[in-house]
Amino acid sequence: MTEVALKVGMSCQGCVGAVERVLKKMPGVESVEIDLPSQKVLVKGDVTPEAVVQQVSKTGKPTELWS
């Protein structure tokens, strides 16, 4: 199982919901944890970092790997 951490530009619970929805539709995703204050998204499952970034980018939110 892979763990991917992202920094996603989210400002409200609506943003959190949008990010969570697109990730839960993604094949291989087992869990999604979102921390709005730090704008951190943690995805666990059989996924690649590149695919996760691409999926979250569909929301239009600024997205990058957590460094």
Side-chain angles (χ1 to χ4, degrees):
M1 180 165 40
T2 305
E3 193 171 282
V4 180
L6 304 173
K7 181 174 178 110
V8 181
M10 301 174 289
S11 57
C12 65
Q13 281 304 121
C15 299
V16 170
V19 171
E20 196 168 36
R21 274 191 302 280
V22 298
L23 286 171
K24 289 195 171 176
K25 290 180 184 175
M26 186 176 174
V29 170
E30 292 183 19
S31 72
V32 177
E33 295 174 29
I34 300 177
D35 181 48
L36 181 57
S38 67
Q39 299 189 335
K40 186 173 186 176
V41 178
L42 188 61
V43 180
K44 294 179 184 176
D46 185 19
V47 293
T48 64
E50 297 78 17
V52 174
V53 168
Q54 186 176 3
Q55 185 77 0
V56 175
S57 293
K58 291 178 182 179
T59 65
K61 309 284 178 226
T63 306
E64 62 187 60
L65 291 172
W66 192 270
S67 50

